[in-house]
Amino acid sequence: AGHDELAADFSEYLDVFQDNPSDAHLVLVNKYAGKTVQLDQAHTELGYKPTLVAGLPDGYTVQSSFVMEMPCCKCIKTVCKRSDGGTLAIFEHNDEQPIWFGDRPSVQTECGGEPCTLTQLDGNVAVSWKQGSRHLTAVGAKDVEEAAALIEHFAASAPG
């Protein structure tokens, strides 16, 4: 039941994100005991070092990070700003979560040389992929090219 509720909450998050990305985080943070954390200190809450600690691609800055107790796992959501003023939210979680996107159009493909799932949103895309032992989901990429660039950046910055 928790996963079904999360799917509905995530759908609401995506709907709000399209119109007001700066307020969308409240949908999940309020529901799942979101706690503001500094990205470089999040490992104390999560038990692992978040992927984004290694840095973001050029043109992106971290606005805020939240650790949330979601039904799937304890996740971190990092809100980033692009140099063009756009917003991107990156979730790091234990398992792939296709239920998050409901019946929105999705395709299994390859971006930046990695298998991924692209989901069409209103005006932008979300992309999910396996990064090491966890998964990353980026919401708010402008297009497939930005999604691929994100995957390539994080794959190149991964340890080992």
Side-chain angles (χ1 to χ4, degrees), residues 9-26:
D9 294 335
F10 206 84
S11 183
E12 179 185 351
Y13 167 80
L14 294 172
D15 290 342
V16 173
F17 188 92
Q18 298 307 303
D19 296 325
N20 194 343
S22 62
D23 287 344
H25 74 278
L26 295 175

Side-chain angles (χ1 to χ4, degrees), residues 23-56:
D23 287 344
H25 74 278
L26 295 175
V27 172
L28 297 177
V29 168
N30 289 340
K31 178 79 179 201
Y32 297 104
K35 179 179 177 183
T36 302
V37 295
Q38 295 298 315
L39 193 55
D40 61 352
Q41 298 297 313
H43 65 280
T44 60
E45 295 285 329
L46 295 166
Y48 62 85
K49 186 170 122 179
T51 299
L52 274 64
V53 169
L56 293 167

